[in-house]
């Protein structure tokens, strides 16, 4: 029955009477300013998320995918301290670039001209960081018998994650038009997946059902609650932004 809920939700999303890109733009409306100057255009169409957010959510999705492909989907240990230091540095670089962009937008003294390539690159590095920290935290909370290993054990694993994100960076910067829909969908999946995982950790803790899962099917009950919360949160944020700016992607 719960699997049916997910199928119905997906089918409802697919058959909703709006173009796919408009639906993806509406999905991210409450979380992303979607400014043209901060966004990439492929095939003459603006991506639903700004460059930095494409990097964050796309990088998160690609990083988690590498965990699965490398057999670390149950890994429940945080990276070692040296690797965590590099991940913190990734976020620091994004914060510095974001601060410089903010100063530029306000007309205050800034260090260098903002560049979407830097926004995308720093977003991807942050997406890797979120994946390397959030995924093992989720596994700690979810599995009864989690894998006692870090998802990112050292420089080699970091290099694999960076290389996994490199085609996304290269394709977007090169302006490859046929990537419009794959990039839009990937970043939207990363956005929803990240929020669902966060909500699921909260649900498991509140209901005191931590570390009980024995199979992937045990994801369905708390995952369905997390999906519903995600829908309410994204809709609420979109409504709040609509009340502030007075425009929205959907009628």
């Amino acid at each position: 029955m719960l699997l049916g809920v997910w199928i119905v939700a997906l089918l409802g999303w697919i058959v909703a009477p709006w173009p796919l890109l408009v639906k993806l733009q509406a999905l991210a409306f409450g979380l992303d300013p979607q400014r043209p100057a901060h966004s990439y255009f492929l095939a003459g169409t603006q991506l639903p998320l700004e460059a930095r957010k494409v990097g964050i959510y796309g990088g998160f999705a690609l990083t988690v995918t590498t965990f699965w492909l490398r057999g670390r989907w149950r890994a429940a240990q945080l990276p070692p301290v040296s690797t965590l230091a590099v991940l913190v540095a990734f976020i620091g670089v994004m914060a510095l670039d974001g601060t410089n962009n903010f100063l530029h937008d306000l007309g205050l003294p800034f260090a260098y001209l903002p560049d979407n390539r830097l926004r995308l690159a720093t977003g991807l590095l942050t997406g890797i960081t979120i994946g390397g920290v959030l995924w093992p935290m989720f596994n700690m909370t979810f599995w009864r018998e989690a894998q006692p290993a870090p998802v990112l054990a050292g420089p080699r694993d970091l290099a694999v994650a960076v290389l996994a994100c490199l085609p996304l960076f290269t394709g977007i910067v090169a302006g490859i038009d046929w990537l419009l829909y794959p990039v839009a969908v990937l970043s939207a999946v990363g956005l929803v997946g990240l929020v669902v995982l966060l909500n699921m950790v909260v649900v498991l803790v509140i209901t005191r059902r931590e570390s009980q899962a024995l199979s992937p099917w045990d994801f369905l009950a708390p995952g369905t609650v997390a999906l519903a919360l995600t829908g309410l949160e994204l809709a609420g944020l979109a409504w709040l932004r609509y009340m502030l700016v007075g425009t929205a992607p959907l009628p």
Side-chain angles (χ1 to χ4, degrees), residues 46-183:
Q46 181 181 343
L47 288 171
L49 288 162
E50 291 184 359
R52 200 182 309 277
K53 299 295 179 59
V54 169
I56 292 173
Y57 298 122
F60 170 76
L62 291 172
T63 299
V64 171
T65 300
T66 65
F67 298 157
W68 279 76
L69 293 177
R70 303 183 71 199
R72 299 185 184 180
W73 54 287
R74 283 197 185 202
Q77 290 184 359
L78 292 172
V81 175
S82 58
T83 304
L84 273 176
V86 176
L87 296 178
V88 171
F90 286 170
I91 295 180
V93 170
M94 187 188 75
L96 289 174
D97 185 62
T99 300
N100 182 76
N101 286 201
F102 183 66
L103 294 173
H104 174 270
D105 291 344
L106 291 180
L108 298 173
F110 55 93
Y112 55 87
L113 285 173
D115 192 311
N116 277 340
R117 290 170 295 184
L118 283 174
R119 293 184 177 115
L120 178 59
T122 56
L124 285 168
L125 294 178
T126 300
I128 293 171
T129 299
I130 295 173
V133 174
L134 177 59
W135 190 254
M137 290 178 60
F138 165 74
N139 285 334
M140 277 184 242
T141 311
F142 183 64
W143 294 107
R144 179 177 296 181
E145 297 179 356
Q147 182 183 357
V151 289
L152 295 172
R156 181 178 177 181
D157 293 335
L158 272 177
V160 169
V162 171
L163 288 174
C165 295
L166 189 58
L168 178 62
F169 176 83
T170 305
I172 294 175
V173 171
I176 300 176
D177 289 341
W178 64 264
L179 286 176
L180 171 63
Y181 285 95
V183 170

Side-chain angles (χ1 to χ4, degrees), residues 171-247:
I172 294 175
V173 171
I176 300 176
D177 289 341
W178 64 264
L179 286 176
L180 171 63
Y181 285 95
V183 170
V185 171
L186 175 69
S187 53
V189 168
L191 184 157
V192 174
L194 193 157
V195 180
V196 167
L197 282 183
L198 288 172
N199 281 326
M200 191 165 170
V201 170
V202 173
V203 169
L204 290 170
V205 171
I206 290 177
T207 59
R208 298 184 178 180
R209 297 180 61 87
E210 308 103 299
S211 306
Q212 295 188 19
L214 295 174
S215 79
W217 290 107
D218 293 326
F219 176 90
L220 283 175
T224 302
V225 177
L227 180 67
L229 289 173
T230 298
L232 290 173
E233 290 158 0
L234 294 179
L237 290 170
W239 174 82
L240 179 61
R241 182 182 173 195
Y242 173 74
M243 296 300 293
L244 292 173
V245 303
T247 59

